[in-house]
Amino acid sequence: APVVRMREVSVRYGRTPVLREVNLELFDGETLGVVGASGAGKSTVARCLAGLLEPGRGTVLLDEKPLPTLRKRTTEQIAQVQYVWQEAASSFDRRRTALDQVAATAIRLRGLGPDEARREATELLTELGLTGAQLRRYPPALSGGQLQRAAVARALLARPRVLICDEVTTGLDQPLSDRILDHMDTYQRRSGASVLLISHDRHALAERADRIVAVENAQVRAINDPFGSGPVP
Ligand code: ADP
Ligand code: ADP
């Protein structure tokens, strides 16, 4: 059975339909790539699956049960589905260090003690290439790429079963991008988690995803040959 899925989901902003009766399943342990042009509706798919956006019609299911919106979710349900989006900077409080905020997730969502949480957060952030000095900085003093990695670390420390990554490596250079994605691979192999990778770049997805779907014309459809010259950008 799928871990999360969208069933007959329709979303419109104002009068414009962005998704029309979309069905999409994310299975245990898989990496699903989602491509599509800018504005096609990829983030809308992500936000529905993360329970951040309640679709006008249709249902989002976690373990075949309707996923409550973020506010109504249990701590466990919040930890299970984590969403990381490109605008990492805006997801951090400016007045607390990156390390504190990453550790706070492990405290709140996994009940770790403060010392253990800081130890895990430090270890993970270091593996993702942040230096000791950077860990102690406030978010405005970190670069976009550093904050993107901190956002990934924060999501991973929740130990999610579903990790939704919305253009998280966009704009990063190849080594940095590889480092993040390699780390996710490792986490996924160890935990059996499922990953949804969203990108406008289907070649980048083809290297990482087990399967790719495209969002286009308010529909989601399978892509069989990501290197082929289909109608997708
Ligand atoms: P993508 O992630 O593929 O770039 P999005 O899901 O962010 O696409 O957006 C799909 C369409 O919906 C775009 O045309 C976008 O401008 C519009 N849109 C997204 N969010 C909103 C919103 N909150 N209000 C109005 N329109 C929106
Ligand atoms: P704190 O007050 O402990 O720093 P925040 O106010 O930063 O917590 O809340 C962020 C946390 O809320 C994330 O670590 C995550 O656990 C949860 N959360 C926020 N946004 C999302 C999201 N988009 N998807 C899943 N969980 C989210």
Side-chain angles (χ1 to χ4, degrees):
V3 199
V4 285
R5 69 176 169 122
M6 297 166 73
R7 196 170 62 192
E8 301 290 312
V9 163
S10 299
V11 173
R12 50 173 67 217
Y13 297 115
R15 301 188 56 187
T16 317
V18 174
L19 299 178
R20 203 178 277 145
E21 293 171 17
V22 162
N23 290 295
L24 180 63
E25 300 177 318
L26 180 64
F27 293 98
D28 259 332
E30 81 168 335
T31 299
L32 175 65
V34 177
V35 284
S38 175
K42 301 181 298 297
S43 294
T44 302
V45 168
R47 286 158 49 75
C48 284
L49 286 173
L52 300 173
L53 175 68
E54 212 165 347
R57 282 175 184 228
T59 325
V60 178
L61 301 159
L62 171 64
D63 291 328
E64 299 295 291
K65 288 187 288 280
L67 178 67
T69 50
L70 203 53
R71 210 169 302 155
K72 292 189 195 142
R73 248 182 270 173
T74 63
T75 304
E76 195 194 344
Q77 286 169 325
I78 293 173
Q80 283 184 355
V81 183
Q82 286 288 308
Y83 175 51
V84 185
W85 67 104
Q86 193 184 2
E87 296 299 318
S90 62
S91 73
F92 284 95
D93 185 335
R94 305 166 58 85
R95 297 154 307 182
R96 293 167 68 203
T97 65
L99 175 60
D100 267 356
Q101 294 183 64
V102 172
T105 297
I107 295 172
R108 198 180 58 254
L109 297 182
R110 286 172 48 217
L112 295 189
D115 293 343
E116 199 180 359
R118 285 180 77 85
R119 193 180 49 74
E120 280 198 21
T122 303
E123 196 177 317
L124 182 49
L125 287 163
T126 306
E127 272 179 51
L128 291 173
L130 272 76
T131 65
Q134 288 162 358
L135 297 188
R136 289 187 294 274
R137 283 190 198 150
Y138 293 85
L142 293 171
S143 72
Q146 288 156 0
L147 286 168
Q148 264 162 273
R149 284 174 285 160
V152 169
R154 185 174 58 182
L156 287 174
L157 272 198
R159 300 267 165 90
R161 289 175 60 209
V162 175
L163 182 62
I164 300 170
C165 298
D166 194 345
E167 305 267 8
V168 284
T169 58
T170 300
L172 300 184
D173 60 29
Q174 195 67 42
L176 215 46
S177 165
D178 284 340
R179 191 161 186 165
I180 294 177
L181 294 171
D182 287 348
H183 196 90
M184 280 179 196
D185 274 351
T186 307
Y187 172 72
Q188 200 172 11
R189 269 200 311 278
R190 283 189 197 147
S191 66
S194 310
V195 174
L196 192 84
L197 282 184
I198 296 177
S199 176
H200 60 281
D201 179 355
R202 65 154 103 173
H203 292 92
L205 285 182
E207 287 178 9
R208 297 280 176 174
D210 300 314
R211 165 169 92 85
I212 299 182
V213 296
V215 184
E216 195 182 29
N217 301 324
Q219 303 287 320
V220 172
R221 61 177 179 78
I223 295 226
N224 297 317
D225 176 14
F227 295 102
S229 54
V232 171

